[in-house]
Amino acid sequence: MKIWFGSVAKLAAVALAMTSGMAMAPSAFAATKGSTPPPKQTLVALGDSITFGYNLQDTKNNSIPSSLAYPALIGATDQFNVSNLGIPDMTSGELATVIKQPNFTRAIQGASVVTLDIGSNDLLQWASDNGLLNDATATTAPTLTLAQEAEVFSIIDAFGQNFKQIVAYIRAQTSAPIVAYNLYNPFPSQSPLSAVDEELESYENAAIQQVATASKNVVVADAYDAFNGNQWTYVRLAEEDVHPNATGQAALANIGEQALQSLQSKMKTPKKAAGVTHLLVGNIAQTGGALTGSLNGRSVKLHLPADALNQATEADLTSQAFQPKNLPKNEQFFAEYAVNFASSATLKKAYTLTITDKKIPKKAKVYQMQGNGLKQVKSITVKKGQLSITQKASGDFVILVPKAKKKG
């Protein structure tokens, strides 16, 4: 849903004073007073910038998921570990592709609960490209041509197929409950853009409900109903932004917990656990650039040279702590880092991923996850405290180090 930010002009010049009218319900899983808290399980949140918590105050310029976003709020209340894998700009087609990457698949397999919020960008990127969201000074809603209507219904049909595939893939990896959020209308009724969004997203919401009804242990969290009439309270409209504010994220957490109540008995400890998946994201221009930050306690830098890409792309780095199978003799797991780009991006030149940690030894080796196996990566540079990987495609990389020699 990031496409809306910067694409929508001022919606109104007069602030409206409204209250939410929505009481926060008690936690679905919170321990009663005096009881022993249950062991922590893992919530894996899949989605776009809404899940990520885009433009909230603690995202470090939208590079890390927000602790004020609904996945973290549910986790804090219900004692879940949280893997927030919301990727800004993500469409349903891109999510259907990325969840099949080893790092995302492991996270899903280790989930106790999965939340899913996707679809806003499918239509809104198209609407923005067609200029339908640009003129907020208009007094009437824009009219679609016959050709545009045909494009819209093609996009809606593709979304329905993608959403069905996403849910089916998640269900093939885990029996954990899935909370599927439907889409809210961010525009207040006074805006002509409200009618456009209302019509477009109603079709996607119908597809979400249809898939949820036909699937096992999937329930819909009704974001549309929660936000309807509350846009000035729940959305960052005063900042000319249609993402949820902190109050809106709390509302999303609340309806997520309410939805989970009906599936509480379905929660199980996963057979496979990947632990918490940490996320770092950023935009890389076609002219090149770098994504830097701290990921899972280590400094990382993803660098792409000029003209390495056919287009600008959202890049994401993830890191997990897990135990790979069939490790080479005399080597042990040290760290895992995965690199993903938008599915439409093509790499024409190699990127470099550099990981800095004083514990990295000179004899560290790198392997790429391929199915259930590991293939050694030769294009690396290692010195004590730093390791660089050079590649021309997305990859899931495992760093191994020599086993410590037994004393005596």
Side-chain angles (χ1 to χ4, degrees):
M1 191 168 147
K2 179 182 166 187
I3 189 68
W4 291 344
F5 180 63
S7 298
V8 183
K10 291 184 178 179
L11 296 173
V14 180
L16 300 180
M18 300 180 69
T19 58
S20 70
M22 182 177 181
M24 293 292 108
S27 161
F29 303 108
T32 58
K33 186 176 182 180
S35 65
T36 301
K40 279 195 173 184
Q41 296 178 302
T42 301
L43 183 152
V44 174
L46 304 173
D48 52 29
S49 53
I50 297 173
T51 300
F52 178 86
Y54 198 76
N55 281 339
L56 294 179
Q57 64 188 26
D58 62 344
T59 61
K60 295 185 178 180
N61 294 321
N62 291 314
S63 64
I64 59 172
S66 175
S67 64
L68 300 175
Y70 72 83
L73 297 180
I74 295 174
T77 300
D78 297 330
Q79 299 300 302
F80 289 129
N81 290 317
V82 176
S83 296
N84 187 335
L85 299 179
I87 309 292
D89 279 336
M90 185 74 75
T91 64
S92 65
E94 288 170 338
L95 183 59
T97 298
V98 77
I99 58 174
K100 295 177 182 178
Q101 298 293 330
N103 54 327
F104 275 75
T105 296
R106 279 196 309 275
I108 293 168
Q109 290 173 342
S112 306
V113 176
V114 177
T115 64
L116 177 60
D117 190 344
I118 197 70
S120 295
N121 288 321
D122 290 51
L123 282 169
L124 289 165
Q125 287 183 1
W126 172 86
S128 179
D129 291 343
N130 281 269
L132 302 181
L133 302 180
N134 292 334
D135 188 6
T137 63
T139 57
T140 59
T143 302
L144 301 183
T145 66
L146 290 177
Q148 288 174 328
E149 287 182 355
E151 291 176 2
V152 164
F153 283 104
S154 176
I155 293 169
I156 291 169
D157 181 65
F159 168 77
Q161 295 299 317
N162 291 335
F163 194 80
K164 183 178 180 180
Q165 291 175 17
I166 291 166
V167 171
Y169 188 79
I170 296 171
R171 186 50 67 239
Q173 307 305 318
T174 177
S175 62
I178 300 172
V179 175
Y181 283 82
N182 64 11
L183 310 181
Y184 67 84
N185 182 352
F187 304 113
S189 59
Q190 297 89 347
S191 169
L193 297 177
S194 177
V196 177
D197 190 85
E198 192 83 16
E199 181 177 2
L200 298 184
E201 290 193 344
S202 65
Y203 295 107
E204 291 191 328
N205 283 344
I208 291 169
Q209 185 62 62
Q210 184 179 20
V211 172
T213 301
S215 305
K216 187 177 181 180
N217 295 341
V218 181
V219 64
V220 173
D222 195 351
Y224 171 82
D225 188 60
F227 277 63
N228 190 28
N230 292 312
Q231 283 90 344
W232 284 101
T233 304
Y234 290 169
V235 183
R236 291 169 45 88
L237 295 178
E239 293 80 14
E240 303 174 21
D241 176 17
V242 294
H243 291 90
N245 56 26
T247 304
Q249 289 286 355
L252 292 174
N254 181 61
I255 62 173
E257 291 179 349
Q258 290 177 340
L260 272 174
Q261 288 181 2
S262 63
L263 294 176
Q264 183 175 0
S265 62
K266 305 297 183 181
M267 290 183 56
K268 300 178 181 178
T269 301
K271 294 181 180 179
K272 296 182 179 180
V276 174
T277 304
H278 303 267
L279 174 70
L280 180 70
V281 300
N283 287 304
I284 305 292
Q286 186 176 2
T287 54
L291 170 60
T292 62
S294 177
L295 188 60
N296 209 1
R298 301 179 182 93
S299 296
V300 295
K301 179 179 180 180
L302 175 68
H303 177 262
L304 283 88
D307 299 319
L309 293 160
N310 67 321
Q311 62 178 56
T313 181
E314 186 87 34
D316 66 87
L317 302 176
T318 64
S319 181
Q320 301 169 340
F322 72 106
Q323 186 61 39
K325 294 182 179 179
N326 304 319
L327 292 182
K329 187 178 180 181
N330 298 324
E331 294 182 6
Q332 62 184 7
F333 176 82
F334 178 78
E336 178 270 350
Y337 286 88
V339 181
N340 291 305
F341 302 98
S343 58
S344 56
T346 301
L347 286 166
K348 298 184 288 183
K349 295 181 181 179
Y351 63 81
T352 302
L353 173 64
T354 301
I355 301 148
T356 303
D357 182 339
K358 62 182 181 180
K359 295 181 180 179
I360 296 175
K362 291 182 179 180
K363 293 184 178 180
K365 295 180 180 179
V366 176
Y367 293 80
Q368 184 166 354
M369 298 285 294
Q370 293 188 340
N372 294 322
L374 297 173
K375 181 180 180 181
Q376 188 170 0
V377 177
K378 300 292 187 180
S379 53
I380 67 171
T381 302
V382 187
K383 62 182 180 180
K384 185 173 176 55
Q386 192 173 83
L387 184 151
S388 295
I389 303 166
T390 303
Q391 291 285 283
K392 287 188 67 175
S394 297
D396 188 1
F397 306 106
V398 176
I399 302 172
L400 302 183
V401 297
K403 286 184 178 180
K405 295 182 179 180
K406 294 182 180 180
K407 294 183 178 180

